[in-house]
Tab-separated table of all heavy atoms in Angstrom:
chain	number	residue	atom	x	y	z
V	66	CYS	N	101.833	112.862	92.491
V	66	CYS	CA	102.428	114.052	93.135
V	66	CYS	C	103.943	114.002	93.139
V	66	CYS	O	104.593	114.852	93.720
V	66	CYS	CB	101.904	114.121	94.630
V	66	CYS	SG	100.187	114.529	94.671
V	68	ASP	N	106.134	114.770	90.946
V	68	ASP	CA	106.797	115.973	90.435
V	68	ASP	C	105.822	116.851	89.691
V	68	ASP	O	104.747	116.382	89.254
V	68	ASP	CB	107.961	115.595	89.509
V	68	ASP	CG	108.915	116.725	89.257
V	68	ASP	OD1	109.212	117.445	90.242
V	68	ASP	OD2	109.344	116.964	88.132
V	69	HIS	N	106.104	118.151	89.596
V	69	HIS	CA	105.296	119.025	88.787
V	69	HIS	C	106.157	120.090	88.123
V	69	HIS	O	105.918	121.268	88.147
V	69	HIS	CB	104.162	119.687	89.647
V	69	HIS	CG	102.958	120.000	88.872
V	69	HIS	ND1	102.347	121.264	88.852
V	69	HIS	CD2	102.189	119.235	88.041
V	69	HIS	CE1	101.314	121.237	88.073
V	69	HIS	NE2	101.157	120.012	87.569
V	73	VAL	N	108.049	125.011	90.248
V	73	VAL	CA	107.283	125.120	91.519
V	73	VAL	C	108.262	125.314	92.693
V	73	VAL	O	109.480	124.981	92.556
V	73	VAL	CB	106.392	123.848	91.789
V	73	VAL	CG1	105.491	123.587	90.586
V	73	VAL	CG2	107.239	122.580	92.032
V	104	PHE	N	101.622	125.489	99.340
V	104	PHE	CA	102.182	124.532	98.356
V	104	PHE	C	102.293	123.111	98.917
V	104	PHE	O	103.110	122.859	99.798
V	104	PHE	CB	103.592	125.053	97.910
V	104	PHE	CG	104.428	124.102	97.166
V	104	PHE	CD1	104.052	123.700	95.915
V	104	PHE	CD2	105.590	123.559	97.654
V	104	PHE	CE1	104.799	122.822	95.153
V	104	PHE	CE2	106.336	122.669	96.970
V	104	PHE	CZ	105.959	122.265	95.699
V	144	HIS	N	94.597	127.497	92.275
V	144	HIS	CA	95.806	127.047	91.693
V	144	HIS	C	96.476	128.186	90.870
V	144	HIS	O	95.706	129.013	90.303
V	144	HIS	CB	95.665	125.831	90.799
V	144	HIS	CG	96.920	125.076	90.557
V	144	HIS	ND1	97.808	125.437	89.560
V	144	HIS	CD2	97.433	124.004	91.200
V	144	HIS	CE1	98.813	124.596	89.606
V	144	HIS	NE2	98.664	123.742	90.633
V	145	ARG	N	97.736	128.225	90.860
V	145	ARG	CA	98.500	129.291	90.103
V	145	ARG	C	98.322	129.173	88.592
V	145	ARG	O	98.156	130.213	87.934
V	145	ARG	CB	100.005	129.132	90.468
V	145	ARG	CG	100.629	130.100	91.430
V	145	ARG	CD	100.250	131.306	91.251
V	145	ARG	NE	100.369	132.622	91.723
V	145	ARG	CZ	101.406	133.247	92.235
V	145	ARG	NH1	102.473	132.645	92.573
V	145	ARG	NH2	101.294	134.513	92.484
V	146	ILE	N	98.279	127.953	88.063
V	146	ILE	CA	98.247	127.842	86.592
V	146	ILE	C	97.019	127.075	86.075
V	146	ILE	O	96.754	127.055	84.899
V	146	ILE	CB	99.538	127.223	85.985
V	146	ILE	CG1	99.798	125.857	86.548
V	146	ILE	CG2	100.712	128.174	86.169
V	146	ILE	CD1	100.812	125.057	85.766
V	153	ASP	N	93.093	120.398	86.380
V	153	ASP	CA	94.245	119.584	86.805
V	153	ASP	C	94.010	118.095	86.513
V	153	ASP	O	93.089	117.513	87.104
V	153	ASP	CB	94.521	119.802	88.282
V	153	ASP	CG	95.873	119.303	88.716
V	153	ASP	OD1	96.334	118.296	88.161
V	153	ASP	OD2	96.456	119.888	89.652
V	155	ARG	N	95.589	115.551	87.318
V	155	ARG	CA	95.758	114.702	88.478
V	155	ARG	C	94.466	114.577	89.302
V	155	ARG	O	94.152	113.483	89.789
V	155	ARG	CB	96.889	115.288	89.379
V	155	ARG	CG	98.224	115.350	88.716
V	155	ARG	CD	99.198	116.166	89.564
V	155	ARG	NE	98.809	117.529	89.707
V	155	ARG	CZ	99.472	118.495	90.331
V	155	ARG	NH1	100.645	118.138	90.932
V	155	ARG	NH2	99.103	119.725	90.399
V	194	VAL	N	95.009	119.583	93.678
V	194	VAL	CA	95.364	118.182	94.004
V	194	VAL	C	95.367	117.945	95.508
V	194	VAL	O	95.011	116.863	95.997
V	194	VAL	CB	96.694	117.781	93.292
V	194	VAL	CG1	97.909	118.428	93.911
V	194	VAL	CG2	96.847	116.276	93.241
V	230	PHE	N	102.183	113.965	100.324
V	230	PHE	CA	102.798	114.870	99.352
V	230	PHE	C	104.292	114.984	99.638
V	230	PHE	O	105.070	114.971	98.691
V	230	PHE	CB	102.144	116.285	99.465
V	230	PHE	CG	102.581	117.203	98.348
V	230	PHE	CD1	101.807	117.244	97.170
V	230	PHE	CD2	103.701	117.947	98.431
V	230	PHE	CE1	102.200	118.073	96.104
V	230	PHE	CE2	104.112	118.805	97.367
V	230	PHE	CZ	103.369	118.846	96.226
V	234	ARG	N	106.719	114.004	96.662
V	234	ARG	CA	107.486	115.037	96.087
V	234	ARG	C	109.026	114.820	96.284
V	234	ARG	O	109.841	115.318	95.523
V	234	ARG	CB	107.032	116.414	96.488
V	234	ARG	CG	107.574	117.571	95.679
V	234	ARG	CD	107.368	117.403	94.168
V	234	ARG	NE	106.016	117.253	93.725
V	234	ARG	CZ	105.243	118.259	93.297
V	234	ARG	NH1	105.740	119.479	93.210
V	234	ARG	NH2	104.015	118.061	92.853
O	302	LMR	C1	102.502	121.167	92.297
O	302	LMR	O1	102.118	119.964	92.297
O	302	LMR	O2	103.697	121.426	92.594
O	302	LMR	C2	101.589	122.191	91.856
O	302	LMR	O3	100.280	121.886	91.827
O	302	LMR	C3	101.977	123.584	92.212
O	302	LMR	C4	102.119	124.322	90.914
O	302	LMR	O4	102.134	125.558	90.972
O	302	LMR	O5	102.139	123.716	89.854
Side-chain angles (χ1 to χ4, degrees):
C66 292
D68 197 42
H69 209 234
V73 305
F104 167 66
H144 200 276
R145 257 317 180 33
I146 58 164
D153 192 328
R155 298 170 296 181
V194 73
F230 192 89
R234 194 50 61 94

